Amino acid sequence: MKIFNILHRNYNNLTSRQTLLSITSKIHKLGVFGNRRFSTMTTEEPELKEFTDYLDNLKNYERSGVPIGAGTDSDDGFDMGRMNRLMERLGNPQSRFKSVHIAGTKGKGSTAMFLSNILRQEGYSVGCYTSPHLWSIRERILLGRNGEPVSGKSLNSLFLRVKDILDLSFQMENGSISHFEVFTAVAFTLFAQENVDIAIVEAGLGGARDATNVFSSSELLASIITTIGEEHLAALGGSLESIAKAKSGIIKQACPVVFGGPFEPHIESILYDKASSMGSPIVSASAPGNRSSIRDIKRNNGKPYQICNILIDIEKDLQLSIELFDVRMPMVGRHQLQNAVTATCAALSLREQGWRISDESIRVGLEHAFLAGRSQFLTPKEAEAVGLAGATILVDGAHTKESARSLTDTIQLTFPDAPLALVVAMANDKDHLAFAKELLSGKTPDAVILTEVNIAGGSSRLTPASLLKESWVQAATELGVTFSDMGIEGVDKCLVEEQGKHKCVVLGTGRSVEESMNIANDLLRARVPDSQSCLIAVTGSLHIVSSLLAPLRR
């Protein structure tokens, strides 16, 4: 913390060019911009130790990375026969409850949360299965009418009850059964045990070859495909078309399918052709009759929320309609409105099948939905708890080109005029250059501080901050964005020039998320008056989000 004491002592003089250069020299001598691995603060409860120890001995693709072709319908794809045999040994628990299955590149978790909230508001007991988690694996399984994470005691108790079956499966499948397959099977067994009325299930990778894709058409109430983007490109066949085909694998015979979108025309054709071939009624959340919009942005306790109108009028295949005015959504951004519309279309399709779902339950469900680390603004009290009192902090687990575009849009929507710093850490299998280009193509940040965190509890997918910075240098160069590398030139070229001259972007690295946040904050404060609001956006991975938000759990 010595660096921050130096900055604090000189805070009142930070607008002085000479003082700032002197401080920068001291910063480099202290080695603040070196690289040090920073582990996410993820811990499991003691009562889960037997289960987590068991899972740790299985192949974990979240930690090691997904193999090429793993999600495709080919010889390289995940073995669905293995998953089906595991479910059969457990008594096919997925046949004992009705489900909604969600696939898509982005928006799956938010859509699942919106829909689950709507159903809980109506009084249903809902099982919700999502991934990944921020801190505890229990977060992946939400249960009941309150949507609380499964207790460690219940989860471990169930594990011990089915352990012999899991051991047998591991042996009969020659040790190839994976972490995600076992956890998915346990989650579905738990839903059956708890007699949930309905389960909302998020696919892990793709759709056709994903371990969650074990539902028959009679067990499924609806499929949802949110968006199609280039994430996991190699694992899903190498093209947008192959990704669309993989995700369309969750569409079941004669079962309604909700498309989020909007999709590129040739991608839409792939999805529609698959639905038509399966005789599945199509519900499009992007249909011309849907006229949803963000009317205004307001703030409550320093946190933005959006006031939306959700107007849906669908006549093709299923006749669905609703008019909701002045919906107050704490999950902000146009992409979150689209996720809310997609979830509303799914709820209306369930109502068409005889499920009791009122307009008021849809409204309240949307207004009370919250998902940590997705378009999340911290309250002033939370900002103080993470060590940055007075700062406006946005945390978002964006890690693809498409999600970076949504993040840029959210920043422009909520704080269009505020000086901006980005703190970024990413996994090594993401498209760092495309991500950087999107964030540099929107509102130009004043500073970008690159750091690093472990991914899924391990370092094999970690990207060194120095390597990540190279992608941002390349992105800035290709886009013609003026930048200054703190490790080379110092900050004097990074100050806002007088008489309206163009500013440049500060590019630097921090040894930890905490240090990077403080560096970003001090750089912003050096550039603007105390009274002006500044925004720090923490992004690139849900794992950096986890590490930042960890103090708020204590």
Side-chain angles (χ1 to χ4, degrees):
M1 298 302 288
K2 188 175 181 181
I3 171 61
F4 306 117
N5 293 332
I6 292 172
L7 286 166
H8 180 72
R9 287 198 301 270
N10 292 277
Y11 187 80
N12 292 331
N13 297 318
L14 278 178
T15 54
S16 162
R17 202 178 190 83
Q18 191 62 40
T19 301
L20 194 53
L21 286 172
S22 173
I23 293 171
T24 305
S25 176
K26 295 175 183 178
I27 287 173
H28 291 300
K29 287 179 181 178
L30 285 169
V32 168
F33 299 104
N35 294 305
R36 183 188 67 185
R37 289 182 179 176
F38 185 87
S39 299
T40 50
M41 301 176 69
T42 303
T43 57
E44 295 294 348
E45 295 83 347
E47 61 265 31
L48 271 178
K49 189 176 188 308
E50 290 173 286
F51 187 29
T52 55
D53 284 350
Y54 189 91
L55 291 174
D56 284 343
N57 288 319
L58 303 176
K59 185 69 174 179
N60 186 346
Y61 293 108
E62 290 178 36
R63 182 174 297 169
S64 63
V66 183
I68 293 176
T72 60
D73 192 14
S74 68
D75 292 341
D76 297 323
F78 288 134
D79 184 0
M80 286 304 297
R82 180 174 65 231
M83 186 64 189
N84 286 319
R85 290 188 292 273
L86 173 59
M87 299 307 293
E88 288 173 4
R89 295 183 191 112
L90 290 167
N92 284 317
Q94 77 279 7
S95 67
R96 291 162 53 189
F97 52 84
K98 296 295 185 180
S99 299
V100 175
H101 199 188
I102 306 177
T105 302
K106 301 304 297 180
K108 299 187 296 294
S110 296
T111 301
M113 190 59 64
F114 280 129
L115 183 55
S116 296
N117 250 29
I118 290 168
L119 292 164
R120 291 189 201 104
Q121 185 62 34
E122 192 61 53
Y124 292 111
S125 175
V126 181
C128 184
Y129 182 62
T130 61
S131 59
H133 60 273
L134 289 178
W135 303 290
S136 169
I137 202 166
R138 297 189 298 109
E139 299 165 34
R140 300 187 179 206
I141 304 175
L142 306 183
L143 282 171
R145 290 178 172 82
N146 295 322
E148 295 294 326
V150 60
S151 71
K153 182 178 180 181
S154 295
L155 190 54
N156 204 64
S157 175
L158 176 60
F159 160 67
L160 293 176
R161 183 162 62 83
V162 300
K163 184 177 180 298
D164 288 346
I165 297 174
L166 299 178
D167 288 341
L168 176 64
S169 295
F170 187 81
Q171 184 178 21
M172 295 187 70
E173 303 295 346
N174 297 316
S176 58
I177 196 165
S178 72
H179 180 291
F180 188 71
E181 288 168 338
V182 166
F183 196 76
T184 299
V186 168
F188 291 174
T189 303
L190 186 65
F191 290 160
Q193 174 184 290
E194 297 296 318
N195 295 314
V196 299
D197 297 314
I198 186 171
I200 312 302
V201 176
E202 175 188 345
L205 175 76
R209 290 294 186 102
D210 188 72
T212 60
N213 195 28
V214 292
F215 302 106
S216 67
S217 56
S218 62
E219 296 157 359
L220 203 63
L221 293 169
S223 301
I224 301 174
I225 299 178
T226 56
T227 60
I228 300 295
E230 294 183 351
E231 187 177 14
H232 300 304
L233 196 62
L236 294 175
S239 69
L240 277 179
E241 292 80 5
S242 64
I243 290 174
K245 290 176 182 177
K247 295 185 187 299
S248 71
I250 70 168
I251 299 174
K252 297 295 189 295
Q253 191 72 38
C255 178
V257 56
V258 179
F259 293 135
F263 304 106
E264 295 180 18
H266 67 294
I267 297 301
E268 186 174 90
S269 294
I270 292 172
L271 299 177
Y272 274 61
D273 288 348
K274 178 59 179 290
S276 297
S277 71
M278 302 295 287
S280 301
I282 296 171
V283 178
S284 174
S286 301
N290 298 346
R291 305 181 312 281
S292 301
S293 62
I294 299 173
R295 290 186 53 250
D296 201 1
I297 299 291
K298 300 287 188 181
R299 285 175 174 76
N300 179 28
N301 192 23
K303 296 180 62 171
Y305 66 92
Q306 57 192 24
I307 300 177
C308 306
N309 291 342
I310 295 179
L311 309 175
I312 295 173
D313 186 13
I314 295 173
E315 296 182 352
K316 183 182 178 181
D317 290 359
L318 298 178
Q319 294 187 350
L320 310 174
S321 64
I322 193 171
E323 291 187 350
L324 298 174
F325 296 95
D326 298 331
V327 180
R328 297 169 176 259
M329 287 178 49
M331 295 178 67
V332 297
R334 291 181 179 85
H335 64 300
Q336 292 296 4
L337 173 59
Q338 183 65 20
N339 292 333
V341 171
T342 302
T344 300
C345 287
L348 294 176
S349 72
L350 296 183
R351 185 159 75 182
E352 181 71 10
Q353 297 177 61
W355 286 68
R356 181 191 71 256
I357 303 173
S358 69
D359 287 4
E360 186 62 17
S361 290
I362 294 175
R363 171 189 292 276
V364 176
L366 298 178
E367 291 185 335
H368 289 179
F370 171 76
L371 194 58
R374 279 76 161 184
S375 303
Q376 179 184 355
F377 285 88
L378 302 192
T379 65
K381 185 176 181 181
E382 290 169 336
E384 183 178 1
V386 299
L388 288 179
T392 300
I393 301 173
L394 166 62
V395 292
D396 189 273
H399 53 267
T400 67
K401 176 175 66 175
E402 293 81 8
S403 56
R405 189 178 305 142
S406 295
L407 175 58
T408 295
D409 184 66
T410 299
I411 291 170
Q412 188 63 38
L413 187 68
T414 53
F415 287 91
D417 301 319
L420 171 67
L422 303 175
V423 175
V424 182
M426 300 186 75
N428 61 15
D429 54 357
K430 305 305 177 185
D431 191 338
H432 304 151
L433 180 61
F435 186 82
K437 281 186 172 181
E438 284 294 336
L439 288 173
L440 289 175
S441 296
K443 174 183 169 63
T444 304
D446 295 84
V448 180
I449 309 300
L450 294 315
T451 187
E452 53 199 45
V453 291
N454 283 349
I455 306 297
S459 61
S460 62
R461 292 177 61 207
L462 176 150
T463 303
S466 57
L467 184 62
L468 195 57
K469 188 170 72 173
E470 290 178 9
S471 295
W472 284 79
V473 169
Q474 182 181 346
T477 302
E478 292 182 8
L479 293 173
V481 175
T482 305
F483 68 93
S484 180
D485 187 334
M486 288 192 69
I488 300 172
E489 299 173 342
V491 295
D492 91 328
K493 292 181 67 177
C494 309
L495 294 172
V496 179
E497 299 289 342
E498 296 180 359
Q499 287 85 38
K501 293 181 181 179
H502 292 294
K503 67 181 181 182
C504 66
V505 180
V506 181
L507 291 178
T509 57
R511 294 181 298 178
S512 71
V513 177
E514 179 186 15
E515 285 186 354
S516 299
M517 293 285 290
N518 280 279
I519 293 166
N521 188 52
D522 288 320
L523 283 168
L524 289 180
R525 295 302 178 189
R527 288 188 165 197
V528 301
D530 293 350
S531 60
Q532 186 172 352
S533 175
C534 299
L535 177 64
I536 301 174
V538 182
T539 188
S541 166
L542 282 174
H543 303 283
I544 187 175
V545 168
S546 171
S547 64
L548 174 66
L549 297 182
L552 303 182
R553 303 177 67 229
R554 302 190 189 115

